[in-house]
Amino acid sequence: MSIKHAKTKQDRAGAEGAPARGRGRPRSEQAHRAIVEATLTLLDEGGYTALTIEAVAERASVGKTTIYRRWPSKLELVVEAISELRPPGPPEDTGSLAGDFAAFARGQVSRVARTALPRIAPRLISEAVSDPELHAAVMSDVIEPVRDALRTVLRRGVERGELRPDLDLELATDLVHGTVIYRILLTQGDLIAATSVVPRILALLRVPSS
């Protein structure tokens, strides 16, 4: 076999062994990101009920099978897409009630304030009222983790003597979390403005000055 012929065979084998490029479609992590971003955009535009896998696939320029390989259902895809709302861990213990809440708020704001998530979350909560499966998923994967973090901050305040010892932690958590969600609705998703009111709420719960 001549050197020229051998080289031609090697070139052909290399070309055949190389992965096909497809039609400009993203793959792996690029595809994952494109799908998640498309899901968030469609949730922001039309909500959970109107969202379809077909629409996500078209918006992300991927095939439906690419989505179903990663997420077997629309619900699982949506839970993944909104996962940034979930705190990544326990709230930082700064040594004070004000410091703990400020650190927690900074973390949440830095991750989601510049996204559509602050607008999407209240809408999902509303849609979940008539969808038990969505309600269970939103509660366990988004709402409860946030409430747990707020409850931890408030409990520390009680233990340090900053908050009244007979504080109803569940009701206080409702007050803080519910007010933020309400303010998000009023401000059309302005998380910074929504969280700015919380220090005033905490002041109402503090131990009265002697």
Side-chain angles (χ1 to χ4, degrees):
M1 181 185 296
S2 69
I3 294 176
K4 181 178 179 181
H5 183 59
K7 187 175 186 304
T8 301
K9 287 188 68 177
Q10 289 172 354
D11 290 344
R12 187 182 301 117
E16 291 172 351
R21 286 188 175 275
R23 300 173 190 172
R25 293 183 171 185
R27 55 181 89 228
S28 64
E29 287 306 310
Q30 282 182 299
H32 186 99
R33 190 68 247 165
I35 293 165
V36 168
E37 289 177 356
T39 302
L40 290 174
T41 298
L42 291 168
L43 283 173
D44 192 27
E45 291 175 356
Y48 178 80
T49 304
L51 184 141
T52 65
I53 295 297
E54 290 78 6
V56 173
E58 182 178 357
R59 186 69 63 98
S61 298
V62 301
K64 287 193 297 182
T65 55
T66 300
I67 297 176
Y68 281 121
R69 276 199 300 268
R70 292 167 168 81
W71 301 279
S73 70
K74 178 176 87 168
L75 180 62
E76 289 171 282
L77 170 59
V78 168
V79 168
E80 168 80 13
I82 64 174
S83 62
E84 283 296 310
L85 287 166
R86 187 168 56 244
E92 180 184 351
D93 189 343
T94 66
S96 74
L97 177 66
D100 285 3
F101 177 77
F104 176 69
R106 279 196 304 271
Q108 292 294 97
V109 167
S110 67
R111 290 199 321 281
V112 306
R114 298 183 187 280
T115 73
L117 284 167
R119 294 191 301 274
I120 291 169
R123 185 170 190 166
L124 276 180
I125 294 170
S126 175
E127 291 188 90
V129 170
S130 57
D131 187 330
E133 191 178 28
L134 176 62
H135 183 272
V138 170
M139 287 298 295
S140 65
D141 288 271
V142 179
I143 301 299
E144 280 307 320
V146 173
R147 287 178 60 84
D148 283 344
L150 293 173
R151 195 180 294 114
T152 297
V153 169
L154 293 168
R155 183 182 297 111
R156 289 174 186 162
V158 172
E159 292 169 352
R160 296 188 193 107
E162 296 175 277
L163 297 177
R164 49 191 301 167
D166 61 344
L167 184 70
D168 184 329
L169 284 175
E170 288 306 309
L171 188 57
T173 301
D174 286 345
L175 182 61
V176 174
H177 193 216
T179 301
V180 171
I181 292 175
Y182 176 65
R183 293 277 178 147
I184 287 172
L185 288 169
L186 290 182
T187 60
Q188 295 184 307
D190 189 338
L191 187 58
I192 296 175
T195 56
S196 67
V197 73
V198 176
R200 289 156 55 193
I201 298 173
L202 298 179
L204 298 175
L205 305 176
R206 286 185 177 276
V207 173
S209 302
S210 57

